[in-house]
Amino acid sequence: MNLFSRLLFLVVMTSTTLANAQATKKSDVPADAAAIVDGVVIKKSVIDKLISGLGNNEIKGTPEVRSEILNQLVLREVLAAEAVRKGTDKKPEFLARMSDEKQRVLSETFLTEYNTQNPVTEKEIQAEYERQKQALGGDSATQYLVSQIVLGAEQDARDAIARLKKGEAFEKLATNLSTDNASKTKGGQIGWVLPLELSPLLSNVIVNIPKGVYTVAPIQFNKAWHIFRVDDTRPYKIPTLEDSRQNLTTALQGQKRQKLIDELLKKATIQLGNP
């Protein structure tokens, strides 16, 4: 939960109550301050940071949004001050939560700093683009329109294949028998896929099925038995480097972070008990 969400999670006072409280304490405040609550300055930069985290660009920076955020910050400060006066900040449950929060913030900050100090280079982006391009098949990349029937037992899958061989429609069996709710409502159709999007096992199966043909033996995957059919194929135009740059950068950042995490876990002495 981000900071803005936490603010909204607070019990909200009525706008009239907050407006009245502010109206009775009118005073000049520094140019960089949005409010002063019992001597504590709430800076405009805090509101700016919270607004920057909002996903809806249409509401960012509107006076109404800034006012609502300020009201929540004022309320939070009032409640926090009262909690300190009541000794809530000394209670074990609060200290435990603060310890957990400290670890979370430290971990996230450390990883963010690591990415900043170890940026993805242009050479790495280009190399990853070429690697993915070749994995997709280069200029001859192909997409496959795939359908499936998913069953819980191998014998059930073999029985379904026997019915297909006798002429029953794949779509009918998928609708009536498949345990995969997402595809059975579409006659078993999964949609267009690239081999790179699939596990190596499934990728190898799909690229070797001729168009219009189903697998003559069930494929075991994810604790279920699958019958696949390739309905159609089409050439796939690989996005340009520039179009792929942001996704590649994000993926490479994730790889760097995961490599760091793996190295730290390998060096750490970890003894696990029963969770």
Side-chain angles (χ1 to χ4, degrees):
M1 185 183 292
N2 60 37
L3 184 55
F4 185 64
S5 297
R6 290 183 195 136
L7 291 174
L8 293 180
F9 185 72
L10 291 170
V11 177
V12 180
M13 284 181 157
T14 65
S15 299
T16 301
T17 301
L18 283 174
N20 289 341
Q22 293 163 354
T24 58
K25 295 187 178 181
K26 286 185 177 180
S27 61
D28 293 332
V29 297
D32 63 344
I36 300 177
V37 182
D38 292 332
V40 177
V41 176
I42 298 176
K43 291 185 174 293
K44 293 179 180 178
S45 58
V46 175
I47 299 177
D48 294 337
K49 185 175 182 180
L50 289 169
I51 287 177
S52 68
L54 296 176
N56 191 336
N57 289 325
E58 294 182 3
I59 67 172
K60 281 185 177 182
T62 63
E64 293 79 11
V65 170
R66 295 189 69 88
S67 178
E68 176 61 21
I69 292 175
L70 177 58
N71 287 343
Q72 295 290 342
L73 290 171
V74 168
L75 174 57
R76 185 179 70 171
E77 182 57 42
V78 170
L79 292 174
E82 183 63 18
V84 170
R85 281 193 287 271
K86 296 287 188 179
T88 303
D89 59 327
K90 302 295 192 299
K91 293 181 178 180
E93 56 267 32
F94 170 79
L95 295 174
R97 289 182 63 184
M98 284 299 294
S99 178
D100 291 341
E101 187 71 3
K102 178 181 178 181
Q103 281 192 311
R104 183 188 66 80
V105 174
L106 275 173
S107 300
E108 291 179 356
T109 303
F110 170 69
L111 290 174
T112 299
E113 288 179 346
Y114 178 81
N115 275 140
T116 300
Q117 295 164 2
N118 298 270
V120 175
T121 66
E122 181 63 25
K123 184 178 180 180
E124 289 172 327
I125 293 173
Q126 291 181 0
E128 179 64 13
Y129 176 76
E130 289 301 324
R131 185 194 72 77
Q132 291 194 17
K133 182 177 178 180
Q134 292 307 311
L136 287 169
D139 294 333
S140 59
T142 302
Q143 271 188 312
Y144 297 80
L145 183 61
V146 179
S147 292
Q148 67 175 356
I149 301 172
V150 184
L151 295 162
E154 180 181 7
Q155 189 56 52
D156 291 340
R158 292 190 179 279
D159 291 345
I161 291 173
R163 292 171 65 175
L164 289 171
K165 289 180 178 178
K166 290 179 181 179
E168 290 195 55
F170 191 100
E171 291 79 5
K172 178 182 176 182
L173 292 182
T175 300
N176 294 335
L177 302 178
S178 184
T179 60
D180 182 69
N181 292 327
S183 60
K184 71 181 297 180
T185 58
K186 304 172 186 175
Q189 195 167 95
I190 300 172
W192 291 98
V193 298
L194 291 162
L196 191 64
E197 297 172 327
L198 305 173
S199 71
L201 170 65
L202 298 188
S203 174
N204 185 58
V205 171
I206 297 303
V207 300
N208 286 294
I209 302 175
K211 186 166 63 174
V213 175
Y214 57 83
T215 50
V216 294
I219 308 298
Q220 187 177 21
F221 180 71
N222 280 351
K223 299 180 180 180
W225 293 86
H226 299 247
I227 305 165
F228 292 106
R229 184 183 70 184
V230 172
D231 300 326
D232 201 357
T233 62
R234 67 184 182 190
Y236 176 71
K237 184 179 180 181
I238 297 175
T240 65
L241 174 59
E242 286 308 311
D243 289 339
S244 308
R245 183 177 299 278
Q246 185 56 55
N247 288 338
L248 290 170
T249 301
T250 300
L252 288 168
Q253 285 176 334
Q255 291 175 19
K256 285 175 179 280
R257 290 170 69 143
Q258 190 58 53
K259 181 180 179 181
L260 170 67
I261 290 170
D262 291 343
E263 290 173 351
L264 292 174
L265 287 173
K266 188 176 181 180
K267 290 190 296 184
T269 299
I270 301 173
Q271 296 174 295
L272 297 176
N274 293 323

PDB file of all heavy atoms in Angstrom, residues 39-63:
ATOM      1  N   GLY A  39       2.804  23.754  15.004  1.00  0.00           N
ATOM      2  CA  GLY A  39       4.227  24.001  14.845  1.00  0.00           C
ATOM      3  C   GLY A  39       4.936  23.084  13.870  1.00  0.00           C
ATOM      4  O   GLY A  39       6.099  23.307  13.537  1.00  0.00           O
ATOM      5  N   VAL A  40       4.268  22.033  13.408  1.00  0.00           N
ATOM      6  CA  VAL A  40       4.869  21.095  12.451  1.00  0.00           C
ATOM      7  C   VAL A  40       4.516  21.535  11.040  1.00  0.00           C
ATOM      8  O   VAL A  40       3.333  21.686  10.705  1.00  0.00           O
ATOM      9  CB  VAL A  40       4.374  19.655  12.690  1.00  0.00           C
ATOM     10  CG1 VAL A  40       4.955  18.710  11.641  1.00  0.00           C
ATOM     11  CG2 VAL A  40       4.745  19.195  14.095  1.00  0.00           C
ATOM     12  N   VAL A  41       5.546  21.743  10.209  1.00  0.00           N
ATOM     13  CA  VAL A  41       5.343  22.232   8.848  1.00  0.00           C
ATOM     14  C   VAL A  41       5.062  21.072   7.902  1.00  0.00           C
ATOM     15  O   VAL A  41       5.786  20.072   7.886  1.00  0.00           O
ATOM     16  CB  VAL A  41       6.585  23.013   8.356  1.00  0.00           C
ATOM     17  CG1 VAL A  41       6.406  23.434   6.896  1.00  0.00           C
ATOM     18  CG2 VAL A  41       6.834  24.221   9.241  1.00  0.00           C
ATOM     19  N   ILE A  42       3.997  21.203   7.124  1.00  0.00           N
ATOM     20  CA  ILE A  42       3.707  20.257   6.047  1.00  0.00           C
ATOM     21  C   ILE A  42       4.094  20.946   4.747  1.00  0.00           C
ATOM     22  O   ILE A  42       3.458  21.913   4.323  1.00  0.00           O
ATOM     23  CB  ILE A  42       2.215  19.875   6.021  1.00  0.00           C
ATOM     24  CG1 ILE A  42       1.832  19.187   7.333  1.00  0.00           C
ATOM     25  CG2 ILE A  42       1.917  18.960   4.837  1.00  0.00           C
ATOM     26  CD1 ILE A  42       0.359  18.863   7.446  1.00  0.00           C
ATOM     27  N   LYS A  43       5.171  20.471   4.134  1.00  0.00           N
ATOM     28  CA  LYS A  43       5.706  21.136   2.950  1.00  0.00           C
ATOM     29  C   LYS A  43       4.911  20.797   1.692  1.00  0.00           C
ATOM     30  O   LYS A  43       4.350  19.706   1.566  1.00  0.00           O
ATOM     31  CB  LYS A  43       7.181  20.762   2.758  1.00  0.00           C
ATOM     32  CG  LYS A  43       8.112  21.341   3.821  1.00  0.00           C
ATOM     33  CD  LYS A  43       9.559  21.026   3.500  1.00  0.00           C
ATOM     34  CE  LYS A  43      10.510  21.721   4.472  1.00  0.00           C
ATOM     35  NZ  LYS A  43      10.489  23.176   4.317  1.00  0.00           N
ATOM     36  N   LYS A  44       4.881  21.747   0.775  1.00  0.00           N
ATOM     37  CA  LYS A  44       4.203  21.531  -0.503  1.00  0.00           C
ATOM     38  C   LYS A  44       4.856  20.388  -1.279  1.00  0.00           C
ATOM     39  O   LYS A  44       4.201  19.695  -2.054  1.00  0.00           O
ATOM     40  CB  LYS A  44       4.236  22.807  -1.334  1.00  0.00           C
ATOM     41  CG  LYS A  44       3.405  23.949  -0.750  1.00  0.00           C
ATOM     42  CD  LYS A  44       3.512  25.202  -1.612  1.00  0.00           C
ATOM     43  CE  LYS A  44       2.678  26.343  -1.013  1.00  0.00           C
ATOM     44  NZ  LYS A  44       2.801  27.584  -1.799  1.00  0.00           N
ATOM     45  N   SER A  45       6.164  20.202  -1.065  1.00  0.00           N
ATOM     46  CA  SER A  45       6.880  19.150  -1.786  1.00  0.00           C
ATOM     47  C   SER A  45       6.346  17.765  -1.435  1.00  0.00           C
ATOM     48  O   SER A  45       6.410  16.840  -2.251  1.00  0.00           O
ATOM     49  CB  SER A  45       8.381  19.218  -1.473  1.00  0.00           C
ATOM     50  OG  SER A  45       8.617  19.085  -0.077  1.00  0.00           O
ATOM     51  N   VAL A  46       5.801  17.608  -0.216  1.00  0.00           N
ATOM     52  CA  VAL A  46       5.209  16.326   0.172  1.00  0.00           C
ATOM     53  C   VAL A  46       3.964  16.058  -0.662  1.00  0.00           C
ATOM     54  O   VAL A  46       3.752  14.946  -1.152  1.00  0.00           O
ATOM     55  CB  VAL A  46       4.854  16.331   1.681  1.00  0.00           C
ATOM     56  CG1 VAL A  46       4.121  15.040   2.055  1.00  0.00           C
ATOM     57  CG2 VAL A  46       6.106  16.498   2.521  1.00  0.00           C
ATOM     58  N   ILE A  47       3.158  17.083  -0.857  1.00  0.00           N
ATOM     59  CA  ILE A  47       1.961  16.938  -1.699  1.00  0.00           C
ATOM     60  C   ILE A  47       2.365  16.649  -3.136  1.00  0.00           C
ATOM     61  O   ILE A  47       1.770  15.801  -3.809  1.00  0.00           O
ATOM     62  CB  ILE A  47       1.101  18.214  -1.623  1.00  0.00           C
ATOM     63  CG1 ILE A  47       0.633  18.455  -0.181  1.00  0.00           C
ATOM     64  CG2 ILE A  47      -0.101  18.120  -2.565  1.00  0.00           C
ATOM     65  CD1 ILE A  47      -0.158  19.734   0.007  1.00  0.00           C
ATOM     66  N   ASP A  48       3.398  17.348  -3.621  1.00  0.00           N
ATOM     67  CA  ASP A  48       3.867  17.129  -4.995  1.00  0.00           C
ATOM     68  C   ASP A  48       4.286  15.679  -5.202  1.00  0.00           C
ATOM     69  O   ASP A  48       3.987  15.069  -6.237  1.00  0.00           O
ATOM     70  CB  ASP A  48       5.051  18.053  -5.304  1.00  0.00           C
ATOM     71  CG  ASP A  48       4.645  19.524  -5.324  1.00  0.00           C
ATOM     72  OD1 ASP A  48       3.455  19.800  -5.537  1.00  0.00           O
ATOM     73  OD2 ASP A  48       5.525  20.379  -5.122  1.00  0.00           O
ATOM     74  N   LYS A  49       4.977  15.120  -4.216  1.00  0.00           N
ATOM     75  CA  LYS A  49       5.450  13.735  -4.329  1.00  0.00           C
ATOM     76  C   LYS A  49       4.288  12.764  -4.356  1.00  0.00           C
ATOM     77  O   LYS A  49       4.282  11.804  -5.129  1.00  0.00           O
ATOM     78  CB  LYS A  49       6.388  13.410  -3.164  1.00  0.00           C
ATOM     79  CG  LYS A  49       7.016  12.019  -3.269  1.00  0.00           C
ATOM     80  CD  LYS A  49       8.022  11.792  -2.155  1.00  0.00           C
ATOM     81  CE  LYS A  49       8.672  10.414  -2.299  1.00  0.00           C
ATOM     82  NZ  LYS A  49       9.660  10.164  -1.215  1.00  0.00           N
ATOM     83  N   LEU A  50       3.297  13.004  -3.515  1.00  0.00           N
ATOM     84  CA  LEU A  50       2.127  12.132  -3.496  1.00  0.00           C
ATOM     85  C   LEU A  50       1.352  12.215  -4.811  1.00  0.00           C
ATOM     86  O   LEU A  50       0.893  11.198  -5.340  1.00  0.00           O
ATOM     87  CB  LEU A  50       1.213  12.504  -2.324  1.00  0.00           C
ATOM     88  CG  LEU A  50       1.750  12.159  -0.930  1.00  0.00           C
ATOM     89  CD1 LEU A  50       0.902  12.810   0.145  1.00  0.00           C
ATOM     90  CD2 LEU A  50       1.802  10.654  -0.734  1.00  0.00           C
ATOM     91  N   ILE A  51       1.242  13.403  -5.350  1.00  0.00           N
ATOM     92  CA  ILE A  51       0.528  13.586  -6.620  1.00  0.00           C
ATOM     93  C   ILE A  51       1.258  12.883  -7.757  1.00  0.00           C
ATOM     94  O   ILE A  51       0.638  12.294  -8.645  1.00  0.00           O
ATOM     95  CB  ILE A  51       0.349  15.090  -6.930  1.00  0.00           C
ATOM     96  CG1 ILE A  51      -0.718  15.687  -5.999  1.00  0.00           C
ATOM     97  CG2 ILE A  51      -0.043  15.306  -8.388  1.00  0.00           C
ATOM     98  CD1 ILE A  51      -0.915  17.166  -6.158  1.00  0.00           C
ATOM     99  N   SER A  52       2.583  12.909  -7.724  1.00  0.00           N
ATOM    100  CA  SER A  52       3.358  12.265  -8.790  1.00  0.00           C
ATOM    101  C   SER A  52       3.129  10.764  -8.822  1.00  0.00           C
ATOM    102  O   SER A  52       3.341  10.117  -9.849  1.00  0.00           O
ATOM    103  CB  SER A  52       4.854  12.554  -8.613  1.00  0.00           C
ATOM    104  OG  SER A  52       5.360  11.897  -7.457  1.00  0.00           O
ATOM    105  N   GLY A  53       2.682  10.197  -7.697  1.00  0.00           N
ATOM    106  CA  GLY A  53       2.428   8.765  -7.649  1.00  0.00           C
ATOM    107  C   GLY A  53       1.038   8.364  -8.096  1.00  0.00           C
ATOM    108  O   GLY A  53       0.733   7.179  -8.185  1.00  0.00           O
ATOM    109  N   LEU A  54       0.200   9.346  -8.395  1.00  0.00           N
ATOM    110  CA  LEU A  54      -1.145   9.043  -8.862  1.00  0.00           C
ATOM    111  C   LEU A  54      -1.107   8.562 -10.300  1.00  0.00           C
ATOM    112  O   LEU A  54      -0.369   9.081 -11.120  1.00  0.00           O
ATOM    113  CB  LEU A  54      -2.049  10.277  -8.749  1.00  0.00           C
ATOM    114  CG  LEU A  54      -2.315  10.797  -7.332  1.00  0.00           C
ATOM    115  CD1 LEU A  54      -3.134  12.079  -7.401  1.00  0.00           C
ATOM    116  CD2 LEU A  54      -3.039   9.760  -6.507  1.00  0.00           C
ATOM    117  N   GLY A  55      -1.925   7.560 -10.619  1.00  0.00           N
ATOM    118  CA  GLY A  55      -1.901   7.008 -11.965  1.00  0.00           C
ATOM    119  C   GLY A  55      -2.729   7.787 -12.968  1.00  0.00           C
ATOM    120  O   GLY A  55      -2.464   7.751 -14.157  1.00  0.00           O
ATOM    121  N   ASN A  56      -3.740   8.493 -12.514  1.00  0.00           N
ATOM    122  CA  ASN A  56      -4.659   9.184 -13.427  1.00  0.00           C
ATOM    123  C   ASN A  56      -4.151  10.590 -13.703  1.00  0.00           C
ATOM    124  O   ASN A  56      -4.236  11.485 -12.868  1.00  0.00           O
ATOM    125  CB  ASN A  56      -6.062   9.240 -12.799  1.00  0.00           C
ATOM    126  CG  ASN A  56      -7.103   9.710 -13.805  1.00  0.00           C
ATOM    127  OD1 ASN A  56      -6.776  10.386 -14.778  1.00  0.00           O
ATOM    128  ND2 ASN A  56      -8.351   9.349 -13.570  1.00  0.00           N
ATOM    129  N   ASN A  57      -3.609  10.799 -14.901  1.00  0.00           N
ATOM    130  CA  ASN A  57      -3.038  12.098 -15.244  1.00  0.00           C
ATOM    131  C   ASN A  57      -4.084  13.207 -15.292  1.00  0.00           C
ATOM    132  O   ASN A  57      -3.759  14.380 -15.159  1.00  0.00           O
ATOM    133  CB  ASN A  57      -2.327  12.018 -16.602  1.00  0.00           C
ATOM    134  CG  ASN A  57      -1.046  11.204 -16.520  1.00  0.00           C
ATOM    135  OD1 ASN A  57      -0.356  11.233 -15.502  1.00  0.00           O
ATOM    136  ND2 ASN A  57      -0.733  10.471 -17.570  1.00  0.00           N
ATOM    137  N   GLU A  58      -5.364  12.821 -15.501  1.00  0.00           N
ATOM    138  CA  GLU A  58      -6.415  13.828 -15.624  1.00  0.00           C
ATOM    139  C   GLU A  58      -6.698  14.536 -14.305  1.00  0.00           C
ATOM    140  O   GLU A  58      -7.163  15.675 -14.286  1.00  0.00           O
ATOM    141  CB  GLU A  58      -7.697  13.168 -16.146  1.00  0.00           C
ATOM    142  CG  GLU A  58      -7.575  12.652 -17.576  1.00  0.00           C
ATOM    143  CD  GLU A  58      -8.880  12.060 -18.062  1.00  0.00           C
ATOM    144  OE1 GLU A  58      -9.861  12.105 -17.305  1.00  0.00           O
ATOM    145  OE2 GLU A  58      -8.907  11.562 -19.199  1.00  0.00           O
ATOM    146  N   ILE A  59      -6.433  13.857 -13.178  1.00  0.00           N
ATOM    147  CA  ILE A  59      -6.740  14.475 -11.885  1.00  0.00           C
ATOM    148  C   ILE A  59      -5.503  15.017 -11.192  1.00  0.00           C
ATOM    149  O   ILE A  59      -5.603  15.672 -10.166  1.00  0.00           O
ATOM    150  CB  ILE A  59      -7.452  13.478 -10.949  1.00  0.00           C
ATOM    151  CG1 ILE A  59      -6.503  12.338 -10.558  1.00  0.00           C
ATOM    152  CG2 ILE A  59      -8.709  12.947 -11.581  1.00  0.00           C
ATOM    153  CD1 ILE A  59      -7.071  11.428  -9.488  1.00  0.00           C
ATOM    154  N   LYS A  60      -4.336  14.728 -11.756  1.00  0.00           N
ATOM    155  CA  LYS A  60      -3.100  15.188 -11.115  1.00  0.00           C
ATOM    156  C   LYS A  60      -3.060  16.711 -11.046  1.00  0.00           C
ATOM    157  O   LYS A  60      -3.285  17.398 -12.038  1.00  0.00           O
ATOM    158  CB  LYS A  60      -1.874  14.684 -11.881  1.00  0.00           C
ATOM    159  CG  LYS A  60      -1.512  13.236 -11.585  1.00  0.00           C
ATOM    160  CD  LYS A  60      -0.211  12.868 -12.286  1.00  0.00           C
ATOM    161  CE  LYS A  60       0.218  11.459 -11.948  1.00  0.00           C
ATOM    162  NZ  LYS A  60       1.493  11.100 -12.589  1.00  0.00           N
ATOM    163  N   GLY A  61      -2.718  17.208  -9.887  1.00  0.00           N
ATOM    164  CA  GLY A  61      -2.467  18.633  -9.750  1.00  0.00           C
ATOM    165  C   GLY A  61      -3.679  19.513  -9.690  1.00  0.00           C
ATOM    166  O   GLY A  61      -3.543  20.736  -9.615  1.00  0.00           O
ATOM    167  N   THR A  62      -4.889  18.958  -9.749  1.00  0.00           N
ATOM    168  CA  THR A  62      -6.072  19.806  -9.656  1.00  0.00           C
ATOM    169  C   THR A  62      -6.186  20.352  -8.236  1.00  0.00           C
ATOM    170  O   THR A  62      -5.765  19.706  -7.274  1.00  0.00           O
ATOM    171  CB  THR A  62      -7.344  19.021 -10.009  1.00  0.00           C
ATOM    172  OG1 THR A  62      -7.512  17.962  -9.053  1.00  0.00           O
ATOM    173  CG2 THR A  62      -7.251  18.426 -11.402  1.00  0.00           C
ATOM    174  N   PRO A  63      -6.751  21.543  -8.090  1.00  0.00           N
ATOM    175  CA  PRO A  63      -6.893  22.118  -6.747  1.00  0.00           C
ATOM    176  C   PRO A  63      -7.647  21.202  -5.790  1.00  0.00           C
ATOM    177  O   PRO A  63      -7.313  21.137  -4.602  1.00  0.00           O
ATOM    178  CB  PRO A  63      -7.673  23.411  -7.020  1.00  0.00           C
ATOM    179  CG  PRO A  63      -7.364  23.763  -8.441  1.00  0.00           C
ATOM    180  CD  PRO A  63      -7.229  22.449  -9.148  1.00  0.00           C
TER     181      PRO A  63
END
